[in-house]
Amino acid sequence: MKYIISIFCLTLFLHLILLRIFSGELQAQNDKLIPVLIVDGFNNHDWKQTTEVTQWILEESGHFKVDVSTIPADSNERKSWLPQFSDYAVVVQNTNNIHDTRLRWPSQAEEALERYVKKGGGLYVLHSANNAFPHWQEYNEMIGLGWRADTVGYALEVKADAQIVRHSPGEGKGTSHGERFNALIQILNRHPINKDYPEAWQTVNTEVYSFPRGPAKNLTILSYAYDSTDTQKMWPVEWVVAYGKGRVYNSSLGHLWTGETYPPAYRCVGYQTTVIRAAEWLANGKVSYPVPADFPTKDSPRIKEETDFVQTPKE
């Protein structure tokens, strides 16, 4: 009987040791994950699904742990909303008030984001987030270019010789876009985000913003595309901005409209790869995530299966 008890105790002891080792390894793995915060709550796009798919893309890569902070719909509750940005290496901005400028972040949250980026935080401006907050001067500085009226800031156009033309306030038009189409993303400046990408790659069902406008300071255009459905000119698609000690990535890629579910624009291998690599660069200035073998080419897009992502309804 004592022998049986001893064997049982030894087995239990070994089980507890293995469990502790496994828990320690799991904790170590979690500690290595890059902490990301997605901010959402209002947008003229499907912000709930945009957040969900973006979180899935990042966490599926095995490089990130993503939290979400949703700005309260109630105006009184919204006044006290204040995420702890400093707990995260990257903040993904997924709010847009273009159709209702009364929707804003409370002033203390605006100031907190400014401090966070100035001190070295990373800010990912997701698609229509650069349409937001024309009233917020420092936000305009952070995003570099956005969806603005023709009287606001400088619009940057890319010419055939890869030279940049600056359209002054009042020159040209306000920001707009034509129909969505399969755009050829062309590299203008090499960067850790697009290292080892082909010189041009095809994405699908996307919008190209014409006359993106803003202060355009401390800004580097990474890629551009020809706007075949509207202006027949070439415009920036991705750019990065240095703001204080922080890094900002801004892009018109990532359109997800009401009524769509995991659309081709989000299933694009090139888009998903760029989301992951941009977030990694924002966090630490380096990129380790490899360019996959099925990355799009100049002549052919690469689209993941619809079944790769299963939307989980949330309350």
Side-chain angles (χ1 to χ4, degrees), residues 110-118 136 138 142 243:
E110 292 181 348
E111 293 166 2
L113 184 70
E114 293 167 20
R115 290 193 300 270
Y116 165 78
V117 181
K118 281 181 179 177
W136 184 357
E138 291 304 309
M142 283 187 275
Y243 181 80

Side-chain angles (χ1 to χ4, degrees), residues 183-226:
L184 187 65
I185 307 301
Q186 302 180 66
I187 304 298
L188 183 64
N189 287 294
R190 284 294 175 183
H191 186 274
I193 294 173
N194 59 38
K195 185 178 184 293
D196 298 326
Y197 281 19
E199 289 296 325
W201 57 278
Q202 190 177 149
T203 192
V204 298
N205 199 34
T206 196
E207 296 171 339
V208 173
Y209 286 4
S210 60
F211 292 97
R213 291 184 172 274
K217 298 177 183 177
N218 306 313
L219 179 149
T220 302
I221 297 173
L222 302 187
S223 68
Y224 63 97
Y226 178 70

Side-chain angles (χ1 to χ4, degrees), residues 15-36:
H15 175 76
L16 292 173
I17 291 294
L18 290 173
L19 182 62
R20 187 169 183 177
I21 291 172
F22 176 76
S23 298
E25 290 177 348
L26 186 61
Q27 183 61 45
Q29 291 174 1
N30 287 335
D31 290 343
K32 292 178 181 179
L33 296 177
I34 297 170
V36 175

Side-chain angles (χ1 to χ4, degrees), residues 9-19:
C9 291
L10 179 60
T11 302
L12 179 61
F13 175 74
L14 291 174
H15 175 76
L16 292 173
I17 291 294
L18 290 173
L19 182 62

